[in-house]
Amino acid sequence: MLQSTMLSSPLKQTGEVDWILPLKGYIRQTYGDDPERYSEECATLNRLRQDMRGAGQDSAAGRDLLYRYYGQLELLDLRFPVDENHIKISFTWFDAFTHKPTSQYSLAYEKASIIFNIAAVLSCHAAHQNRSEDTGLKTAYHSFQASAGMFNYINENFLHAPSVDLSRETVRTLIAIMLAQGQEVFLEKQIADGKKVGLLAKLASQAASLYAQATEGVIENVTRGTFERVWQLVTMFKASYMASLSQYYQALADDDANSHGTAIARMQIAEYQAKDASRVASSFPSSVPPTSNLSSETATNLTDMIKRHSSNVQERLISFIKDNDFIYHQTVPAEAALSAVSKLPAAKAKPVSELYEGQDIQRIIGPDIFQKIVPMAVTESASLYDEEKAKLVRAEAEKVETANDEMAASLDYLKLPGSLNVLKGGMDQETTVDEEFRGWCEELAGHESFGGAFEHLQSDKTHISSILDTCTKQLDLEENVCEKMRVKYGSDWTQQPSSRLNSTLRSDIRSYRQAMEEASSSDSQLLSTSRQYESDFDEMRSAGETDEADVLYQRAMIKASGSRGKGKNAMSPGSEGNLLDEDYGEGGTSVMDQIARIEDLLKKLNLIKRERIQVLKDLKDKVHNDDISNVLILNKKSITNHENKLFEAELEKFRSHQNRLLQANHKQTALMKELTKAYGDLLQDKRVRSEQAKYESFTRQRNSVLARYRKIFQAFNDLIAGLMRAQSFYSEMRDTVDSLNQNVEVFVNNRREEGGQLLSQIERAKANHAGGQANREQERLQQLMERMNVNNGTPLTRSKSSAARQSAHSRPSQNGTPYHYPAPTSPPYNASSFQPAHYPTPGAPSPQPGYSGYPPNGSYPEPHRDSGYTTGSPPMQYPYQSRSPPLNQMYPPGATYPYPQQLPAGFVPPPPPPGPPPGTQGYSYGTPPTGRPSGGTPQNPGDPWAGLNAWK
């Protein structure tokens, strides 16, 4: 099928533009941000403009590329003022028809040029469609209308055009051309579908009118040199051709309506219009300018179209005249007497918002490139809107909470729905064991008696006390021996008094004894609690192990009932008949029916409550996810002084949730009134009141039993927790006193070695003094004998050598002794005053096997710890087991010692001089340390100075 030639607008061309540097400079200056963070965004925008320059003329991809760039420009304009005073970028575009360049710093000029190119691409895309197929015909029809809409947007929004192609006269002409061609495409579709000739006549009449209007504008632009003359010929041809088609189809319609004379007159007019179109087609040049967007076959196409149409008109005209002459004989009216053919518009300029109707416009435009940049004004507006949303949610939440509280208070006042169980026979259910009570019995099942735990605690206390007593005895014995030595040797005994060195150890012992006393007090409380509830624990433990919690519960209930009324007024479940088995007198409503009605009302109330809570949750979620930042950005220019109106419009989206909450509150109020009345009527019956009184008495008994066993179970848990804390305390205390015992032993051993070496020095000094006196006496006697002896020589010589040998034997050897006597290794000792430990109130540790917790009100002191202890040391370990500093750090300044200060490895001290010193027969000493020589005399195990045994 031969299709008509269509006009399409040429595209504007543009030069290169750099977006990157101006945008970065503005970001640094205005937003105070690092522009390098937005390097990718700036490059994306710059690349998008470069791609836009190469958009195809007749492709949907080119249209989408242009529209994407335009959409990003609209978003950009909301954040960056691109003009001569702010972001100064020169946009140069060439006129689509005259090709003259025009440069401006206005972003509006850039956007108008982009929209012009979108409209031009749409017109080209429509003109090149194959309209012999339905898809191509529909695409052409939509694209011509969209192109007209784009041109119309330029006409309405850009008043001061800097170039001819954007002028109002040019744009209006292009709008008329696009609409006329859209109307023509629609007419082609209807002709192909074989629609009624009357409809075709009206569509053709509208197309002829649009082409006539377009022709006027084209002639003006041709006169100004804007359009090519071939455009004028095409529009003139189309105007005549469509007018001829209109008269042709209307003639066929008149003939079908038996208006044969009128049909002949219209057919004659159609022939005349066809001849005008033929004259225009014959004047069309064989070659067309390249800027006209027309093909070289346009002249042939137009000629063929009009020839075919003229042939049809002439054929029909001859037939109509022949039939009228021979059959109808109707008068043929004059042209002026004929009415104009009615017009039926089928094409309109589509707005920009409908350009991508049925498609995801956001997908085409893409995400906002600079979405991370939010203008301060928009941020402030968004904060105000968030506050409005918060007010709305708070108000609705308060209403929901008030409604829920009112319903809960009303039901609690009416004792619903619990009181209905009494009337329905629920008393039998209440007599069954409470699940909480069963859980208590199961918790106690399998737990052993607490007697073993208390025996274990007593054993620990005895052990700790014995160690403390041992430490005290060792310190007392060491101090006693030291002072006796000081009394015996006087000033020669230079060892430091023990009382100055063991004060901290004694202070620790006292503190630990005090802690043990406090712990014993807590143990007494635990033991008292255990004895108080021992029988109750056994009952509950037995019930849990044998799964007889219900038996124990029933026995407790019977006991509570007997204690209240001695069995006279005790409630016996099931002793009386169920009220549901009895009805009111004749004509009255039965109890069962009234209860059923009340239960139905309660179900409706609960349903309303759940619905109200769900609606409120949905409202909060919707408010939380509501973000109108984009809306505020898009309305940034028009939001000034209209924020409240915009907020109100946006908050309307939550109106449906508010209405649902309001309706729920109204329903609840009505149902509560109905429920109150129905329940009041039910309570008027005497049998109901009697049953209610019995149930209240039973409830009091049940609460009393549960309160008693809840107290027992709490006492059990407190005992578990208390014994756990006690076990932990005594375990740490055992480690602590063991460490203290080691420190005391180290202290005593060091003092013993120190005293032993000091004693050796004293004895050696005495021996040296006695040997010197003997030598002097022998020399005096020898001199006397020399004076008395007449013969000097041999006897004297022999005597001197003998005296020398005797002196050598009596004096200690200076070179034969291999030992040096170092000072005893004294451990460093922190002489700072002992700080008593603070013992925390026991917590509630998790149960463990055996004694899995303990006591109420029991508190145990926590052993003291020094932050300076080395890793791996037991709790409260003293620094005697660490490195040993010199003695001058252990003793006060002024104490000097003539022997070395460190013991060499493998050192074994020598035995003391033979013979006991005077005044020592009253002491006995312990066994010497391993590896040291014994004096041969049994030693006392309680002696802390093993080195002093030899002189006993």
Side-chain angles (χ1 to χ4, degrees), residues 126-186:
H128 290 82
Q129 292 296 315
N130 181 12
R131 299 195 299 278
S132 60
E133 300 176 356
D134 285 347
T135 303
L137 195 146
K138 291 179 180 179
T139 301
Y141 177 62
H142 171 76
S143 296
F144 277 131
Q145 294 181 95
S147 178
M150 285 295 181
F151 284 126
N152 189 56
Y153 185 79
I154 297 175
N155 184 57
E156 292 177 352
N157 294 277
F158 300 96
L159 304 180
H160 306 287
S163 58
V164 176
D165 52 3
L166 298 177
S167 64
R168 299 177 72 87
E169 293 79 8
T170 303
V171 172
R172 286 174 182 171
T173 303
L174 293 172
I175 293 172
I177 293 174
M178 298 306 151
L179 290 177
Q181 293 182 147
Q183 184 81 11
E184 182 182 357
V185 171
F186 187 79

Side-chain angles (χ1 to χ4, degrees), residues 640-669:
T640 306
N641 300 326
H642 295 86
E643 285 185 349
N644 293 334
K645 293 183 179 179
L646 178 61
F647 293 166
E648 291 175 1
E650 290 295 328
L651 291 175
E652 282 297 318
K653 64 171 70 80
F654 309 120
R655 181 65 63 185
S656 60
H657 292 76
Q658 293 176 278
N659 291 337
R660 290 169 62 187
L661 291 174
L662 184 62
Q663 292 173 3
N665 292 342
H666 289 329
K667 289 180 182 179
Q668 175 179 305
T669 302

Side-chain angles (χ1 to χ4, degrees), residues 772-788 796 799-800 803:
Q773 276 187 331
N775 291 337
R776 286 194 297 273
E777 183 65 22
Q778 290 179 2
E779 290 177 0
R780 187 178 65 81
L781 291 176
Q782 184 177 2
Q783 292 175 1
L784 180 61
M785 290 176 66
E786 287 177 353
R787 287 196 300 269
M788 294 174 63
L796 182 59
S799 177
K800 287 179 66 176

Side-chain angles (χ1 to χ4, degrees), residues 188-456:
E188 290 177 356
K189 172 64 176 173
Q190 303 310 309
I191 294 174
D193 292 345
K195 299 295 183 180
K196 293 182 179 181
V197 290
L199 175 64
L200 300 179
K202 294 177 181 179
L203 292 174
S205 176
Q206 175 67 16
S209 175
L210 290 173
Y211 272 119
Q213 180 182 351
T215 300
E216 295 178 1
V218 170
I219 291 174
E220 292 180 2
N221 282 279
V222 170
T223 304
R224 292 200 301 266
T226 304
F227 292 168
E228 297 291 343
R229 185 175 179 277
V230 292
W231 277 38
Q232 177 183 342
L233 296 177
V234 171
T235 56
M236 291 174 62
F237 172 84
K238 291 291 186 71
S240 299
Y241 176 69
M242 288 298 160
S244 177
L245 275 180
S246 175
Q247 294 296 336
Y248 172 78
Y249 287 118
Q250 187 61 43
L252 294 179
D254 290 343
D255 184 69
D256 293 340
N258 294 323
S259 299
H260 304 289
T262 305
I264 294 173
R266 291 192 181 278
M267 197 63 72
Q268 290 173 348
I269 298 173
E271 183 182 20
Y272 175 77
Q273 295 288 352
K275 290 179 181 180
D276 287 344
S278 180
R279 283 194 298 270
V280 174
S282 61
S283 64
F284 201 89
S286 57
S287 61
V288 294
T291 56
S292 64
N293 282 358
L294 293 174
S295 65
S296 58
E297 299 176 355
T298 302
T300 304
N301 178 273
L302 297 179
T303 302
D304 292 344
M305 284 178 59
I306 196 59
K307 283 182 179 180
R308 186 178 65 253
H309 174 65
S310 297
S311 175
N312 292 336
V313 170
Q314 291 174 3
E315 182 180 348
R316 286 287 186 173
L317 180 58
I318 293 172
S319 175
F320 286 173
I321 293 175
K322 181 179 178 181
D323 291 343
N324 188 56
D325 290 342
F326 288 98
I327 301 174
Y328 306 114
H329 305 289
Q330 292 184 6
T331 305
V332 177
E335 180 180 352
L338 295 175
S339 61
V341 181
S342 301
K343 299 179 179 63
L344 181 61
K348 63 177 182 178
K350 286 192 174 183
V352 178
S353 59
E354 297 181 10
L355 174 61
Y356 290 95
E357 187 176 7
Q359 302 183 47
D360 185 6
I361 187 67
Q362 191 62 38
R363 181 186 62 82
I364 296 173
I365 296 178
D368 189 354
I369 294 178
F370 293 94
Q371 60 183 347
K372 293 190 295 185
I373 296 179
V374 179
M376 184 59 65
V378 172
T379 302
E380 294 174 354
S381 299
S383 300
L384 295 176
Y385 179 69
D386 289 341
E387 181 60 29
E388 294 297 325
K389 292 191 299 182
K391 289 180 181 178
L392 185 146
V393 172
R394 284 197 298 268
E396 297 302 324
E398 289 177 0
K399 293 178 182 178
V400 170
E401 184 178 0
T402 301
N404 291 339
D405 291 344
E406 289 177 354
M407 184 173 73
S410 300
L411 295 179
D412 184 65
Y413 175 75
L414 298 175
K415 299 181 180 180
L416 289 174
S419 60
L420 292 181
N421 293 332
V422 180
L423 308 180
K424 292 169 56 181
M427 183 72 73
D428 295 336
Q429 300 175 4
E430 295 292 339
T431 58
T432 59
V433 63
D434 187 89
E435 290 302 322
E436 188 178 15
F437 179 84
R438 186 185 298 276
W440 296 339
C441 294
E442 292 176 354
E443 285 286 336
L444 266 69
H447 284 279
E448 299 179 0
S449 175
F450 293 115
F454 284 106
E455 292 177 359
H456 181 71

Side-chain angles (χ1 to χ4, degrees), residues 560-634:
S561 174
S563 63
R564 284 182 174 272
K566 302 299 182 181
K568 295 180 180 179
N569 297 323
M571 175 105 185
S572 177
S575 60
E576 296 187 4
N578 194 318
L579 286 180
L580 298 183
D581 299 332
E582 302 181 13
D583 288 338
Y584 287 101
E586 297 180 359
T589 305
S590 67
V591 174
M592 182 174 61
D593 294 339
Q594 294 184 70
I595 290 177
R597 181 163 175 260
I598 292 174
E599 287 181 336
D600 183 61
L601 292 174
L602 288 174
K603 290 180 181 178
K604 291 181 179 179
L605 284 172
N606 289 330
L607 182 62
I608 289 175
K609 181 179 179 180
R610 288 196 299 269
E611 179 185 0
R612 184 167 51 220
I613 293 175
Q614 184 61 41
V615 171
L616 180 61
K617 181 178 180 298
D618 295 341
L619 175 62
K620 290 181 178 179
D621 292 341
K622 190 173 182 180
V623 168
H624 178 72
N625 297 327
D626 181 38
D627 184 10
I628 64 167
S629 297
N630 290 334
V631 176
L632 294 173
I633 291 176
L634 295 176

